Amino acid sequence: MKRIFTAIPLLAATIAPAAASMQLKSPAFDAGDAIPVRYTCDGESVSPPLHWGGVPAGARSLALIVDDPDAPGGTFVHWVLYNLPPSVTHLNAGVTPEQGAHGARFGINSRGQAAYAGPCPPSGVHHYHFKLYVLDTRLPARGHMTKAALLQVMQGHRVGM
């Protein structure tokens, strides 16, 4: 069976009108393209490289959520990463909790792991949303948060939202 992985990088932070627009990209694939096998369960299942810029002044940290709203059981969370320093402009491929991600914390994915979970759709076309949030604070470092817990803690701390 051939699996189809489609990436839809999205920027979830709305930047204040006076600030430069942020962009989130991967040098491994373009928005709307298939995610290369290396970053899926059919390959090495390593996180893809990501690049961004234009972080607005006042940012204290960044958070990244990668999910698949097309999963049969509801949205599947592939990656949760938070407390990235605002000076960081990229993540290399294959970032793991052991290697560290510029001091960021790994949250819990839908597999119950504090790690990246490569896409592995059972069938059909799935869309993977890469969302980068700009926050005006560093978040609590206790434990590993799920996407739901992270979204709750981020309330009132999103820059430009």
Side-chain angles (χ1 to χ4, degrees), residues 51-67:
H51 295 245
W52 57 88
V55 175
R60 296 282 316 275
S61 69
L62 306 173
L64 176 72
I65 296 174
V66 178
D67 58 23

Side-chain angles (χ1 to χ4, degrees), residues 1 10 29 31-32 41 52-53 58 98 102 108 118 129 139 150 155:
M1 165 180 45
L10 297 176
F29 52 88
C41 69
W52 57 88
E98 295 78 23
H102 307 280
I108 303 296
H129 295 202
L139 301 173
L150 176 61
Q155 286 184 13

Side-chain angles (χ1 to χ4, degrees), residues 22-132:
M22 285 187 62
Q23 292 185 9
L24 174 61
K25 296 181 179 186
S26 176
F29 52 88
D30 290 326
D33 285 354
I35 296 175
V37 171
R38 176 177 185 214
Y39 310 108
T40 72
C41 69
D42 291 334
E44 298 171 52
S45 197
V46 297
S47 61
L50 298 173
H51 295 245
W52 57 88
V55 175
R60 296 282 316 275
S61 69
L62 306 173
L64 176 72
I65 296 174
V66 178
D67 58 23
D68 170 10
D70 302 320
T75 299
F76 188 95
V77 178
H78 289 272
W79 202 9
V80 176
L81 196 62
Y82 57 96
N83 282 345
L84 273 160
S87 60
V88 172
T89 60
H90 71 280
L91 291 172
N92 293 326
V95 173
T96 66
E98 295 78 23
Q99 294 171 330
H102 307 280
R105 300 275 306 171
F106 278 72
I108 303 296
N109 62 35
S110 289
R111 291 188 185 142
Q113 303 166 328
Y116 171 80
C120 197
S123 64
V125 175
H126 285 237
H127 301 91
Y128 299 89
H129 295 202
F130 291 72
K131 297 170 276 192
L132 185 65

